[in-house]
Amino acid sequence: MFKKIGLFAVCAGLLFSAAASAQQITVVDWNIRSFEKSNGSGQTLVEDITEYVDFLKGTQADIITLNEFETGTSRMGKEKMAELASRLGMFAYFIKSYPKDDGFYGNVILSRWPMLECASTLLPYQHYKGEGNYQWNNDEMTEIYGADQRSVGYADILVPVSDTESRVIRVACTHLDHEIGTDGRRKQFEEIAKFPSLANPPYPSLIAGDMNVSSGAVMDPITNIGDQMYLNWVDHIFSFPKGAWEKVSGETVYSGALSDHNAVKVVLKLK
């Protein structure tokens, strides 16, 4: 169903590691809470992200998806996605949800393998104050569209499966609203299935993120077309199409004071 690609026919200069074969793929999803570390009585913004780098290195992930990622804002002091990607030795793609003073707020996809194509879109949203407002909606509009602007994006990643062959996979990431009503929540699930073409994907696909719901009929647009690879609380990893992936293992990785979410980790194999 999905074709393999000769590595050298694509580009001999692509930056693969010496251990080229990826018979198993380790994927980690984590709501990073904008690098706000718990301090006992609240949260403190962390400018030195070394603890976050070390935590993610410890997962030994090949692909990482991150939610609540704030970058380039005045309080951050520098562009955090580029710093994190550089220190992890990974390629990166930022999925913008909305501008935030000098920077942006959204989601991130990191990969140790090259990204061939990336795209993102904003989920339908209207604010009671009109265009240009992205947070703290009123109750009436929150019921329909959510409290904040949300997004979904994907990266098509070239994954080596042997010394001479590779396969392209699509990895999508999203973070859905926590206050939206039932009808609005279902529409958000419809949108995150539609944009990355998860019902009929061009490549074996994954979607990961904090979906702010654990289960229920509102998730049917995703659960009817994919396999749930792992769930902890409201943090999910799904695969598409059904039956295309095998789960080798899955676990919750305790993040301590670094976030109010633990990371979720799966080891997967393509069938």
Side-chain angles (χ1 to χ4, degrees), residues 46-240:
V46 175
E47 293 188 8
D48 180 358
I49 63 172
T50 298
E51 286 184 277
Y52 292 82
V53 172
D54 290 344
F55 174 81
L56 289 169
K57 282 183 177 179
T59 67
Q60 299 183 311
D62 300 310
I63 295 169
I64 300 168
T65 56
L66 300 172
N67 302 132
E68 292 193 24
F69 200 103
E70 183 179 328
T71 189
T73 57
S74 56
R75 69 177 192 151
M76 284 292 177
K78 65 169 68 173
E79 206 286 288
K80 292 297 184 184
M81 185 188 76
E83 179 187 359
L84 185 62
S86 176
R87 294 178 68 175
L88 291 172
M90 302 180 100
F91 298 87
Y93 177 58
F94 188 79
I95 303 164
K96 183 182 78 172
S97 292
Y98 51 84
K100 190 170 183 178
D101 61 65
D102 296 330
F104 300 96
Y105 180 90
N107 308 293
V108 166
I109 300 173
L110 298 165
S111 169
R112 75 182 184 97
W113 300 299
M115 299 177 181
L116 301 180
E117 183 176 348
C118 302
S120 66
T121 191
L122 300 177
L123 302 186
Y125 184 74
Q126 291 185 26
H127 197 279
Y128 78 101
K129 290 184 177 180
E131 292 187 11
N133 294 278
Y134 308 100
Q135 293 180 275
W136 303 299
N137 224 343
N138 67 7
D139 290 345
E140 180 182 358
M141 298 299 273
T142 292
E143 177 73 15
I144 302 170
Y145 296 104
D148 304 334
Q149 174 71 71
R150 303 290 173 155
S151 62
V152 62
Y154 66 82
D156 293 340
I157 298 171
L158 190 63
V159 177
V161 294
S162 74
D163 290 340
T164 58
E165 290 183 311
S166 67
R167 295 180 74 173
V168 179
I169 67 169
R170 174 164 291 182
V171 177
C173 178
T174 193
H175 180 199
L176 301 185
D177 197 84
H178 62 299
E179 296 183 0
I180 196 168
T182 300
D183 290 343
R185 189 180 301 277
R186 184 182 178 91
K187 288 178 181 178
Q188 287 197 336
F189 274 101
E190 291 172 352
E191 290 293 327
I192 66 169
K194 178 181 177 182
F195 182 73
S197 303
L198 298 181
N200 187 26
Y203 314 112
S205 298
L206 305 169
I207 190 167
D210 173 0
M211 299 183 184
N212 269 307
V213 64
S214 296
S215 60
V218 293
M219 299 184 67
D220 284 353
I222 291 291
T223 57
N224 287 347
I225 59 174
D227 295 319
Q228 187 174 67
M229 294 287 103
Y230 200 77
L231 163 67
N232 179 63
W233 189 24
V234 294
D235 302 302
H236 301 257
I237 300 176
F238 284 93
S239 66
F240 309 86

